[in-house]
Amino acid sequence: MTSRPTLGHRQPVQRSLSTTTNVVQRPQPHRTLSQQFPSTSPARRSNDSFVDLTFDGPEGAQGRYGTIPRMGSQLRLEILDSGNTEMVHSPKTTADLTPTQRPVAPPRGRPQLHFDTPNTSNLSPCAAQDGSQNESAVKPMPLPIRPGQYAPPGSGKARVPTVAPAKRDARPKPYTLEVPAIAPRYPPNGHVDFFPWTGNHPEDQFSEPIIRQGYFDKAQMTQNETGSARASIFPAMKHKSGLQTLSSIFTSVLAQRRSHGQITTSSTFKPPPRVTVTDTKREMWLKDLANPTIPLRRLSRSIPHGIRGKVLLDQSMSKNIPIERAVWLAKCVGANELRSFRRKGVSGTFVMGGEAKWIRDFTVCVEQFVESIAGSCGEGEFKGRINYAIRLAAHFHAEHLLDREHYMDWLVTSLENSPQAKLPMWILITQIYWKDLVLYRKHGRRLSGALLNHYSEIQNNQDQDILAPLADRLQSLLKSLMASNPDGFVSPKVWAKHREIIQSSLVSDDDRFQVIFESIDRRNNRISLPGTDKEPTARQRLIHLLDTTLSGLATNELPNRCWRLHEDKAMVLRTVLEWSTSSYRPGISKVYVAARIFRYWSRSGIDITEAILMFLDSGDYGAALDKSSFYHLVSELARSEHFATARYMQWLIARGGFQDQIDATPEGPCAARLLAELPTLNLSEGILSLQRSLLSRANISMDEEEGKMNDCIASMSRALPGMQANTDLEMECDNVYMPNDIAQRALELSRSSMAEIGVWLRHKVRLQMQQPTVPPLRDWDSAPIKSGTSTITASDFYSIRHYLEVIEDYSMLADVLKITAGSSDPEVLASCSDTLNLHLEIFDAIGALHGLFEALVARLRALSEDQDSFPRLLLVSLADLARRLPTQKSLAVQLTQELLLSDRKNATDACSPVSDHIALTQPSEDFTEEIEKILASGNSMDQATLDRLFQRVVQQVESSPSKLPGQQRDYTLLLTKLRPFDVPHFDTLMSAWITRFVLMRNRPSLVTMFGPMVSFGCLSLPAIVTGCEAILEKDTSLERQSVVSITQELLVLLVEATSPSSLLTVEEAYRFRIKQVHMQQDCPLEVLASMRRALAQLPGSKDWLDSSTAPSTIDILESRVSWQLLQRYSLLHTDLVTRSLVMPLLRHPDSRGSKSVMRIVDRLLRQNSEQEITTETILDIADDLTLPYCQIKLESMFTPTDSVMTGTDDVRSEHLQAFDIAIETAVNSGKTAWASIVPLLDISVAQHLRRRAELQLLSLLPSHKTANAYDLSEMDGRVVHAKNLLHIINSTTYSITNNLPGSSNQSLAQDILTALNGMRLLLSNTQVIHIKNDLISKWIPLILSFITVHTSEFEATRTGHECRAKATLALSAILLELQALDLNTEAINDLMEQIFDLALHLVDALPDDIRQQCVRSLRDAVYSPQMCYLFSYATNPSEWLVLSQKESMPNIPASSGPDGTDRRMPDKEKLTPFVLRRWEMLGEPTPNIGENDTSLNLTLFGARRG
C-alpha cells in the first residue's frame, strides 16, 4: 500500500524504480487539484480548443523530476484565442476516454518528440470537448497533471516485430505481474511509482514516524545538517580576517566538492564489436538502424560483419538510413578496422601506413559511390539517390573521415573531365566544397582552369544559344571566384590561353570588374617569359601588314585594318609614310598603296597634308628615304587634291623658304625640293606665280624645266604620227630626241613634268578613241565605259604604254587602259590584258584591277558574238591573267576550256587523226606550210606521229640560226600549234630536247632559242631550269667553260629584262617579261639557286663564251630589275636568301663568288654607300624597316664555327667578341633595335650572348658575404649595368627553351640559389637602412625578373625539383622577412605580391613529396595563411591539442632567499601532441552507460560528475 499526504502537506520524494518483474495492479489515480477544488472563475469554465496536457510547464517539470510541486497560486489567466471557451476538465480514466481524430500537436516552441504522436492503440487522456458552451473568449491555462500519474503517449506508429513464429510451448507458466499500460516510464529509471509487493519493502514496515509523517525515500537530516551555521561562523566574521576566513571556507567547500565529484575511473570506451550473423539478421539489424525510433545504444551491442566499404554505402542508401546513423555505422566499422592496425607487436610505421591506406581506400569507395550514382542520371529515383549520395559524402568530408587531398583532387579532376551534359551536376557538387578547394594552391588553380576551359568550349560551340544558361552560370562563378580568389588565376599559360575570352565576355560589360581583370593580367604578365611569346609592336605589325601588298593583292579592308592597329594615329600615319618612301622597300606599288590608304583616311577627316608636313618637319627620316618615291607619293596626292599645295607653300615660307641655292636642287632636302616636284595642273595663277617666285630665289628656272618637258612631248608626238598628229604640229621645241633617247630624257625631268606628260598622253589617247569624258583623278572610277571609235593602233598603244611605264605614272596608265578597253582590236585588248598581268600589284593598289579585268572580259564576249569565235590572242592573255587573280579561278578554268575549243575549231571538219593525212599531203618547198597543212588535216594525233613531227620541227629549229630570223619564229609557232594535241607527251619531248640542246656545241644562247618558245607558250621557264639543273648536277664531265656558260645564260633567262629583237616583237618580249615575273614570284628557290651557281662560277673575261656580247654576272645582278628582285626576296624570303644564296657561297671565303655576295649583302643594307659595314654600323642602321637586311648581314658575318658553343672557356671568334661589345654599347646608349635583330640570328649566337650576360649579372648581385664591401656610391652604376644585362637576357630568352637538360642547367640553378640565399641573408642580418632600401627597391626586383626568365632551368628531374623547392623556400623566407618589417607602402606591397606570384609559379611544378618536405622545413611559418595556400598544406583542426604533463623535479632541499622566500624548483610542464582519432568520435558506443565511456577520456579534462 502507499500513503498519500494530506492537502497542503509536503510530499516526500519518491523512491527509485524497482526492476523486479513481480508487479501488482496499480490503484486508480487520485483526482487532481482542479477536481478537488474546482475554480469558480468564469475564465476557466470552458475551452473550445484542444489543450496539450502532456506539456507540464515549469511547475510540471519540477514535479516530474521529483521536486516538491508548488501549491497555491497555480491558477494563472492568459488570453489565448478570441473564440469559444471551454471548461478544462480533469483527465478521465482510460475506460472513459473517447478517441479524437485531431492529432496531438506539440506546444509552440518545443520540438516534436517521438512520443508526441498519439498512439491509436493506447490513447493518452485528453480534455473533453464541449462545443455548447461559449461564455468567454478567454481560455484558461490548464492545471498541470500530477507528476508521474499518467504515462506519456507512445509512438504514433506501432512497430510490428518481424519475428518468425516460434513453436508453441504448452507447459504451464508461473504467474507474473505485468506493468500497467498507464504506468509512466522515464528511462533509464524504469516505471515510476510502481512497486510490486514482496513483503519486505521499507514502506510496508509500520513505525510511529512512518505513521505520523509518512514514508520518505531518504532519511531526514540531522539537526546539525539542517541547522544554521551562524552560531559557529558569525563570531569569526567579527574579526579583521573574517572575510578571508569566509573565503577559505568557501574555497575548501568547493575543493572538497571537486575532489569528491572528480571522475577518476579509466576510460571504458571501445567501439561496438562486430559479430558474424546470418544474412537475415544482418538485414533486420540494418532495418532497425534505418528506424530512427530505435536507439543506437540498443544497436551498439553488436554490429554485423560484412558491412564495409562500398557495401556499407550501398546498404545505407538502399535502406534509406538517416545520414547521421549511416555516418555512425561507418565510424563503428572504421574504428574497428583501424584498431586492428594498432594491435600489440606492430611497429608504428606499419600502423601509420596501414591506417593511411585504409582511409585512402575508403575515400576511393566514396568517390566511386558518388560517381556511380552520378552516372545513372536519368534513371528512376535519381534525384533522391544523388541527393543522398552527395549529403553522405559531404558529412564524411566535414567530419574529416576522408583523405581530403585525394578527395579534393578527385573533385577537380571530375569537373575537368566532365562532359557538358553532366557539367551542371558536377558544378553543384564542387560548390559544396568550394571554400575548401580555394584554400590550397594545388586545387584552386585547377578549379579556375577547369571553369575557364568549360567556358571557352561553350563560347566556341556552335550551339552556344542552347548552352546560354550554362554559360551564364559559369560566368557568374568565374566572376565570384576571380573576386574572392584571384591567386587561383595566376598561371601564365592558362591565362594566356583564355585571356581574350575573359576580356571580351566577362569584362566588357562590367566596369567594376575591369580592375580585378587588370590586376590578374598584370600579375600574369609579370611572371611570363618575355622572349617566348613576345608579341611584335604595333609598328612592326603595321609594317608586316603593308609588306603583304608587295607579294600579293591588297584587300579593300587594308585601310581599316591599318587604322585599327593602334590608338596612336600619329604613329600610324608616320609609319605608312616611312614605309612607302623607304629605299628598303622595292617597287613602285608601295606608293600607290600608301596613296590609296591616305585617300581613304581623308574621307574620315584625317588631315593628310598636316601629317606630311610633320614628317618633313621632323627631319629624322635619314638616308633611308627614297626621294623619288616621296615626290611621287605627294604628287599623286596633290593630283587628287588630297595634299594642299598652298598650305605647303605657306609652311615653307614660315620656315624661311630656301636657305641656300642647293636646297631646291635634286640633291637638296625634301622639304624644299618638293616645291619643284609638285604638279601644277590644278594650281591657280596666284599659286603658280608664288611657286615661280620662290624657285627663282634659289636660281631654279621653271622655264628651263618646261622647255625640256616640251622637247620630250614633241619627241613623243613625232613618235606617234598616227595619233592626232595635227594637234601637236604647232608645238615649239628646241630639240627633238631620237626614239631611243626619249625614255632617258624623260627620266631626267622632275616629277611635276612627268605628271604633265602623263596627263598629255592620256589626253591624246582620249582624243584618238573619241572618248567624250575624262575619268576623274581622285580615285578609280568603275563606271561603264562610253562607246567610242577604235582608231588607236597596237604600235601606238605600245609606245604610249612604254612612255608611261618609264615615268612610272601608272594612274594615267590605268586611265589609258580604261579608255582603250573600248577598242575593237583584239591585239590592243590583249595588250591591255598583258599590261594588267605584268603590273598586277600596282593596278590593284590603284583600285583599277578588277574593273579593267571585267571590262576586258566583256569585250571578249562582245567580240565573240560579232565574229562567232573568240579571238585567240585575247583569249590566251585573259586566261593567263585570270589564273593570277584569286577570285577568278573558275573563270580561268572556263577561259582555258574555251581556248582548247578554239584551237580544235581550226582543224578540219573530218574526224580523223593527223596520221591518216600525212601520206596524202603533197611535199612543199616551204616546210612551214607543209607542217601547217598536216596539223590542219585532223583533230587528233597519236604519240608516234607527234614524235615524228616534233623531231622534224626541232631539226629545223636547231638549224635556224643559219637561216633568217623569221623562219625561226615560224618554227617556234609550229611547236606551239603542235603542243595542244598531247600536252603531257609534248612536254616530255621538250624536256628531253632541252637537255640535248644545252649540251650542243656552237649553239645559240638560251635566251635566243628559248625566249620565243616561252613567249609563245610552248615551253615554260621551270622546265628549262629543271633541265639545266639536272645537267649541272649529274654530268660531272662538263668543261668549266660549259658550266659557266649554262649558269650565266640561265641567269639572264630568268632575271634580265629582254628587249624587242628580230626574233621577238614588242608584245612578244612583253609577254616573255610576264613569264619571268611569274617565275620569280612562284619559284624563288630556283631563281636564288641560279644566282648562286652563277656567282659560284664567276669567271674572268677570258672564260666567257662571247665576251664581247655576254654581260657580266655582277652587272646583271646589280641592274635595277635584279636589284628590286633581291630586295623583294630579302624581305619576303629572308631565311631562303640566307640559306640558299649567301651561306653556301661563304663556305669558300677566298672565292670571287664569296666576295661578290658579300658586296651584294652590303649594298642591300647600305644602298649605294661603299663604307665598310661593322657590327656597330648594323646596330646603328637597324630599325623595323631594315631588320631583314640586318639579319642577312649578321648571319653572313658569323661563320659556322662562331655558332658552335662548346663551353664558356673556348676561344671565340673575333666576330662574336665584336658583336658582344656592340650589343653592350647599344644597350648602354639606350638603343633598342638590337633586341629585334638578335632573335633573327642563329640560336647559338643568342645562347652565347645570354650566357655571358647571366654570368656578369650574377657577379653583380650583392650578398651577405659582400656586405662589408657595399659601396653606396658605386651601387647606382652597378644597378644600371645589371638592368642592361637583364635586358639582353630578356631578348635572348627564346634560346633557353631549346637547351637540353644537363650540367649547365644545374650549375646555373645552383648559382641562382646561391645569389638568392645570399640576398635573403643580407636582408635579414643587416641593420643598415640604406642597404635594406637598396635591396627592396632595386636588387630584389632584379633577381625576381632574372629568376622568372630562368624558371625552365629547374628541369623536371629530382635534382631540378630540389633546386626549385629551395628557390621557393628562399622566396618564402624573403616574403616573411618583408612582412615582418610591417611597412604598409605601395612599393612593399607590390614587391611582396611579385614574390608570392613567382613562388606560386615555381611551386606548381613541385611533386607532392617535395612539397611536404618544404612544409616540414618551414616549421611554424607554415601556419601562415599565405604559406598554407602556397604549399597546399591542410592543417589538422585538432593539431593544436596537446597533453600537459607535469614532471616532478628531483628532491632538492628547499632553500630560502635573502628575502625569506622559498626557492624550491617548480614542477616542469611537458606538452605532448594529442592525436584525436576522428573515427572513434562515436556517440552511444555501448548499450550500458558508464561513468567514463566517451570516446574522449573525461579524465583528460578534469571532468566532474553532474
Side-chain angles (χ1 to χ4, degrees), residues 793-992:
T793 62
S795 60
D796 291 340
F797 177 80
Y798 299 155
S799 300
I800 292 175
R801 179 180 64 185
H802 175 64
Y803 296 148
L804 290 174
E805 287 177 345
V806 167
I807 64 176
E808 295 182 338
D809 196 347
Y810 290 97
S811 59
M812 292 297 101
L813 182 57
D815 292 343
V816 169
L817 293 179
K818 182 178 180 181
I819 295 171
T820 56
S823 174
S824 300
D825 188 355
E827 188 175 356
V828 174
L829 295 176
S831 300
C832 292
S833 177
D834 291 338
T835 306
L836 288 177
N837 203 344
L838 182 61
H839 306 291
L840 203 65
E841 293 82 7
I842 298 176
F843 289 111
D844 181 67
I846 294 174
L849 176 62
H850 296 286
L852 289 174
F853 176 75
E854 292 174 359
L856 292 175
V857 172
R859 293 300 300 159
L860 174 66
R861 292 169 180 168
L863 291 177
S864 65
E865 293 176 358
D866 296 340
Q867 302 176 6
D868 197 20
S869 64
F870 288 99
R872 189 181 189 281
L873 191 61
L874 178 59
L875 188 59
V876 170
S877 180
L878 283 177
D880 192 16
L881 175 60
R883 283 192 290 268
R884 308 301 296 181
L885 301 178
T887 59
Q888 303 294 337
K889 296 298 182 182
S890 60
L891 181 59
V893 175
Q894 181 181 353
L895 293 175
T896 303
Q897 294 175 352
E898 292 290 344
L899 179 61
L900 294 175
L901 293 175
S902 176
D903 291 338
R904 297 298 169 85
K905 286 182 180 180
N906 296 327
T908 183
D909 293 336
C911 297
S912 60
V914 173
S915 58
D916 297 341
H917 302 273
I918 292 180
L920 301 177
T921 305
Q922 298 295 328
S924 175
E925 295 181 357
D926 191 350
F927 178 78
T928 304
E929 293 181 359
E930 178 184 354
I931 298 300
E932 286 183 350
K933 290 180 180 179
I934 294 175
L935 296 179
S937 62
N939 57 3
S940 64
M941 184 182 301
D942 57 6
Q943 292 186 358
T945 305
L946 182 62
D947 292 343
R948 291 195 298 272
L949 292 178
F950 179 81
Q951 294 300 330
R952 291 184 62 185
V953 175
V954 164
Q955 290 176 0
Q956 296 296 325
V957 170
E958 292 174 354
S959 61
S960 62
S962 60
K963 300 179 181 180
L964 297 176
Q967 292 180 344
Q968 183 179 355
R969 294 185 72 257
D970 293 339
Y971 299 154
T972 305
L973 289 174
L974 290 178
L975 290 175
T976 305
K977 296 178 181 179
L978 188 62
R979 185 173 185 268
F981 286 96
D982 192 346
V983 175
H985 186 62
F986 181 86
D987 292 341
T988 304
L989 295 175
M990 285 294 293
S991 299

Side-chain angles (χ1 to χ4, degrees), residues 292-524:
T293 60
I294 298 179
L296 292 177
R297 287 197 179 274
R298 172 183 169 184
L299 300 173
S300 63
R301 295 173 182 173
S302 60
I303 297 176
H305 252 303
I307 305 176
R308 53 171 297 180
K310 191 72 164 48
V311 177
L312 186 149
L313 301 174
D314 292 337
Q315 290 289 347
S316 299
M317 185 178 64
S318 62
K319 300 295 190 299
N320 197 19
I321 300 176
I323 298 297
E324 294 79 4
R325 289 175 162 246
V327 173
W328 177 85
L329 175 60
K331 284 184 176 182
C332 294
V333 174
N336 282 284
E337 293 281 346
L338 295 176
R339 283 203 168 196
S340 64
F341 292 107
R342 294 192 292 268
R343 62 182 182 271
K344 184 179 294 186
V346 179
S347 62
T349 305
F350 180 80
V351 171
M352 295 179 61
E355 290 181 355
K357 183 179 182 302
W358 188 91
I359 295 175
R360 174 70 61 89
D361 294 341
F362 181 76
T363 304
V364 172
C365 289
V366 175
E367 295 167 359
Q368 294 175 352
F369 172 69
V370 177
E371 282 182 348
S372 62
I373 303 302
S376 62
C377 181
E379 299 180 1
E381 300 181 358
F382 169 74
K383 182 177 180 181
R385 289 161 55 86
I386 191 63
N387 185 31
Y388 185 92
I390 292 174
R391 289 176 57 212
L392 183 59
H395 274 75
F396 286 143
H397 179 270
E399 298 199 21
H400 295 267
L401 302 180
L402 303 176
D403 187 341
R404 295 173 72 89
E405 184 171 355
H406 188 279
Y407 187 72
M408 288 190 288
D409 183 79
W410 167 76
L411 285 172
V412 179
T413 303
S414 300
L415 181 64
E416 289 174 341
N417 302 328
S418 172
Q420 290 181 350
K422 296 183 179 180
L423 184 58
M425 179 179 62
W426 282 109
I427 290 177
L428 292 175
I429 294 175
T430 308
Q431 279 188 276
I432 299 174
Y433 312 94
W434 198 277
K435 293 182 179 180
D436 292 332
L437 290 172
V438 299
L439 287 178
Y440 313 112
R441 170 69 178 177
K442 181 180 178 181
H443 308 298
R445 179 179 63 88
R446 292 180 58 194
L447 174 64
S448 306
L451 294 177
L452 287 174
N453 284 330
H454 286 300
Y455 186 74
S456 299
E457 290 178 2
I458 293 176
Q459 293 297 321
N460 298 326
N461 197 313
Q462 59 182 358
D463 298 329
Q464 185 178 356
D465 53 342
I466 301 176
L467 301 173
L470 182 57
D472 294 341
R473 182 58 181 164
L474 285 172
Q475 182 175 349
S476 175
L477 292 176
L478 283 171
K479 282 190 173 183
S480 63
L481 190 59
M482 292 175 71
S484 61
N485 184 41
D487 296 337
F489 293 87
V490 180
S491 181
K493 291 184 179 179
V494 177
W495 184 257
K497 180 180 178 181
H498 304 287
R499 182 184 181 278
E500 297 300 329
I501 292 181
I502 296 174
Q503 187 175 16
S504 60
S505 302
L506 302 181
V507 183
S508 58
D509 57 346
D510 192 348
D511 297 335
R512 180 183 57 85
F513 197 70
Q514 181 71 27
V515 179
I516 301 174
F517 172 81
E518 291 176 355
S519 175
I520 299 175
D521 188 54
R522 173 179 53 82
R523 295 174 65 179
N524 279 284

Side-chain angles (χ1 to χ4, degrees), residues 972-1270:
T972 305
L973 289 174
L974 290 178
L975 290 175
T976 305
K977 296 178 181 179
L978 188 62
R979 185 173 185 268
F981 286 96
D982 192 346
V983 175
H985 186 62
F986 181 86
D987 292 341
T988 304
L989 295 175
M990 285 294 293
S991 299
W993 177 73
I994 288 172
T995 304
R996 182 165 57 87
F997 175 79
V998 171
L999 295 175
M1000 289 175 59
R1001 292 183 178 272
N1002 300 323
R1003 59 171 175 78
S1005 65
L1006 299 183
V1007 175
T1008 304
M1009 182 59 65
F1010 294 150
M1013 297 181 182
V1014 173
S1015 178
F1016 296 156
C1018 65
L1019 183 62
S1020 63
L1021 287 175
I1024 300 173
V1025 173
T1026 303
C1028 294
E1029 287 180 350
I1031 294 173
L1032 295 174
E1033 291 177 1
K1034 295 180 181 179
D1035 196 349
T1036 58
S1037 61
L1038 285 176
E1039 299 179 358
R1040 184 176 184 277
Q1041 184 177 0
S1042 300
V1043 175
V1044 171
S1045 176
I1046 293 173
T1047 54
Q1048 291 176 348
E1049 290 178 5
L1050 184 61
L1051 180 62
V1052 172
L1053 186 68
L1054 295 178
V1055 175
E1056 191 179 38
T1058 304
S1059 301
S1061 61
S1062 58
L1063 295 177
L1064 292 175
T1065 63
V1066 174
E1067 192 60 19
E1068 289 169 355
Y1070 204 84
R1071 293 195 184 106
F1072 178 74
R1073 180 60 189 159
I1074 293 174
K1075 301 295 183 180
Q1076 280 184 322
V1077 173
H1078 292 176
M1079 176 69 184
Q1080 294 166 4
Q1081 292 177 353
D1082 299 339
C1083 305
L1085 180 61
E1086 287 76 6
V1087 177
L1088 288 172
S1090 300
M1091 292 181 180
R1092 184 190 72 242
R1093 292 191 187 94
L1095 289 174
Q1097 300 295 331
L1098 197 62
S1101 58
K1102 62 181 180 179
D1103 297 327
W1104 284 89
L1105 180 64
D1106 187 0
S1107 59
S1108 60
T1109 58
S1112 169
T1113 302
I1114 297 299
D1115 295 338
I1116 296 173
L1117 294 178
E1118 290 185 352
S1119 65
R1120 185 171 181 268
V1121 175
S1122 301
W1123 196 249
Q1124 290 184 355
L1125 177 62
L1126 284 172
Q1127 280 189 312
R1128 191 183 303 272
Y1129 281 165
S1130 300
L1131 286 174
L1132 305 177
H1133 310 286
T1134 308
D1135 295 334
L1136 198 61
V1137 171
T1138 305
R1139 187 174 63 253
S1140 300
L1141 178 63
V1142 179
M1143 299 308 293
L1145 293 173
L1146 293 180
R1147 294 172 184 170
H1148 307 284
D1150 298 331
S1151 65
R1152 188 177 175 186
S1154 175
K1155 297 177 181 178
S1156 300
V1157 77
M1158 287 300 295
R1159 178 184 173 188
I1160 293 174
V1161 172
D1162 290 347
R1163 187 183 171 190
L1164 284 172
L1165 192 58
R1166 290 298 298 264
Q1167 304 297 325
N1168 297 322
S1169 176
E1170 297 296 334
Q1171 182 182 0
E1172 182 183 1
I1173 297 179
T1174 61
T1175 308
E1176 291 80 2
T1177 308
I1178 297 173
L1179 296 181
D1180 290 336
I1181 298 174
D1183 58 17
D1184 294 331
L1185 292 171
T1186 61
L1187 282 181
Y1189 307 103
C1190 294
Q1191 176 185 352
I1192 295 174
K1193 178 59 181 176
L1194 285 173
E1195 291 187 359
S1196 65
M1197 293 174 63
F1198 296 132
T1199 62
T1201 56
D1202 297 333
S1203 300
V1204 178
M1205 305 300 300
T1206 57
T1208 58
D1209 297 332
D1210 292 346
V1211 180
R1212 301 181 181 89
S1213 69
E1214 296 179 359
H1215 292 302
L1216 279 178
Q1217 293 179 359
F1219 190 64
D1220 293 341
I1221 298 173
I1223 290 291
E1224 190 170 351
T1225 304
V1227 172
N1228 294 334
S1229 60
K1231 297 180 181 179
T1232 58
W1234 63 269
S1236 300
I1237 298 176
V1238 174
L1240 303 177
L1241 303 178
D1242 187 82
I1243 193 171
S1244 59
V1245 178
Q1247 290 174 358
H1248 161 71
L1249 290 175
R1250 176 181 55 81
R1251 186 58 180 162
R1252 179 175 177 271
E1254 288 169 355
L1255 295 177
Q1256 293 183 9
L1257 179 59
L1258 290 173
S1259 64
L1260 292 175
L1261 296 176
S1263 65
H1264 65 288
K1265 297 180 181 180
T1266 60
N1268 297 329
Y1270 194 92

